Short mmCIF file of all heavy atoms in Angstrom, two decimals:
data_model
loop_
_atom_site.label_atom_id
_atom_site.label_comp_id
_atom_site.label_asym_id
_atom_site.label_seq_id
_atom_site.Cartn_x
_atom_site.Cartn_y
_atom_site.Cartn_z
N GLY L 1140 -30.61 -28.51 8.47
CA GLY L 1140 -30.27 -29.85 8.02
C GLY L 1140 -28.82 -30.02 7.62
O GLY L 1140 -28.45 -31.04 7.02
N LEU L 1141 -27.96 -29.04 7.94
CA LEU L 1141 -26.56 -29.10 7.55
C LEU L 1141 -25.70 -29.55 8.72
O LEU L 1141 -26.01 -29.28 9.88
CB LEU L 1141 -26.09 -27.73 7.06
CG LEU L 1141 -26.88 -27.13 5.88
CD1 LEU L 1141 -26.40 -25.72 5.60
CD2 LEU L 1141 -26.72 -28.00 4.64
N GLN L 1142 -24.61 -30.24 8.41
CA GLN L 1142 -23.62 -30.59 9.42
C GLN L 1142 -22.52 -29.55 9.44
O GLN L 1142 -22.19 -28.96 8.41
CB GLN L 1142 -23.03 -31.97 9.13
CG GLN L 1142 -24.03 -33.11 9.20
CD GLN L 1142 -23.38 -34.46 8.99
OE1 GLN L 1142 -22.16 -34.60 9.15
NE2 GLN L 1142 -24.17 -35.45 8.62
N VAL L 1143 -21.95 -29.32 10.62
CA VAL L 1143 -20.88 -28.32 10.78
C VAL L 1143 -19.64 -29.02 11.30
O VAL L 1143 -19.70 -29.74 12.30
CB VAL L 1143 -21.31 -27.20 11.75
CG1 VAL L 1143 -20.14 -26.23 11.98
CG2 VAL L 1143 -22.51 -26.45 11.19
N ALA L 1144 -18.52 -28.81 10.61
CA ALA L 1144 -17.22 -29.29 11.08
C ALA L 1144 -16.43 -28.08 11.55
O ALA L 1144 -16.09 -27.20 10.76
CB ALA L 1144 -16.48 -30.03 9.97
N MET L 1145 -16.14 -28.04 12.86
CA MET L 1145 -15.50 -26.88 13.47
C MET L 1145 -14.51 -27.35 14.53
O MET L 1145 -14.77 -28.34 15.22
CB MET L 1145 -16.57 -25.97 14.11
CG MET L 1145 -16.04 -24.73 14.78
SD MET L 1145 -17.37 -23.76 15.57
CE MET L 1145 -18.33 -23.29 14.13
N PRO L 1146 -13.37 -26.67 14.68
CA PRO L 1146 -12.44 -27.03 15.76
C PRO L 1146 -13.12 -26.98 17.12
O PRO L 1146 -13.97 -26.12 17.37
CB PRO L 1146 -11.33 -25.99 15.65
CG PRO L 1146 -11.39 -25.51 14.23
CD PRO L 1146 -12.84 -25.57 13.85
N SER L 1147 -12.75 -27.90 17.99
CA SER L 1147 -13.37 -27.97 19.32
C SER L 1147 -12.88 -26.83 20.22
O SER L 1147 -11.82 -26.23 19.97
CB SER L 1147 -13.05 -29.32 19.97
OG SER L 1147 -13.55 -30.39 19.20
N PHE L 1148 -13.63 -26.56 21.28
CA PHE L 1148 -13.27 -25.57 22.27
C PHE L 1148 -12.76 -26.26 23.55
O PHE L 1148 -13.25 -27.33 23.92
CB PHE L 1148 -14.47 -24.70 22.62
CG PHE L 1148 -14.92 -23.80 21.50
CD1 PHE L 1148 -15.81 -24.27 20.55
CD2 PHE L 1148 -14.44 -22.52 21.39
CE1 PHE L 1148 -16.22 -23.46 19.51
CE2 PHE L 1148 -14.84 -21.69 20.36
CZ PHE L 1148 -15.74 -22.16 19.41
N LEU L 1149 -11.83 -25.62 24.23
CA LEU L 1149 -11.29 -26.20 25.46
C LEU L 1149 -12.28 -26.15 26.61
O LEU L 1149 -12.36 -27.08 27.41
CB LEU L 1149 -9.99 -25.48 25.85
CG LEU L 1149 -8.74 -25.85 25.05
CD1 LEU L 1149 -7.58 -24.95 25.45
CD2 LEU L 1149 -8.37 -27.31 25.29
N HIS L 1150 -13.02 -25.04 26.73
CA HIS L 1150 -13.99 -24.87 27.83
C HIS L 1150 -13.33 -25.13 29.20
O HIS L 1150 -13.73 -26.00 29.96
CB HIS L 1150 -15.17 -25.83 27.65
CG HIS L 1150 -16.01 -25.52 26.44
ND1 HIS L 1150 -16.58 -24.27 26.21
CD2 HIS L 1150 -16.35 -26.29 25.37
CE1 HIS L 1150 -17.25 -24.29 25.08
NE2 HIS L 1150 -17.13 -25.49 24.54
N ASN L 1151 -12.27 -24.37 29.48
CA ASN L 1151 -11.56 -24.41 30.76
C ASN L 1151 -10.79 -25.72 31.00
O ASN L 1151 -10.33 -25.98 32.11
CB ASN L 1151 -12.51 -24.17 31.93
CG ASN L 1151 -13.15 -22.80 31.88
OD1 ASN L 1151 -12.48 -21.83 31.53
ND2 ASN L 1151 -14.43 -22.72 32.21
#
Side-chain angles (χ1 to χ4, degrees):
L1141 303 174
Q1142 297 183 20
V1143 176
M1145 180 183 296
S1147 300
F1148 292 87
L1149 283 174
H1150 294 305
N1151 297 321

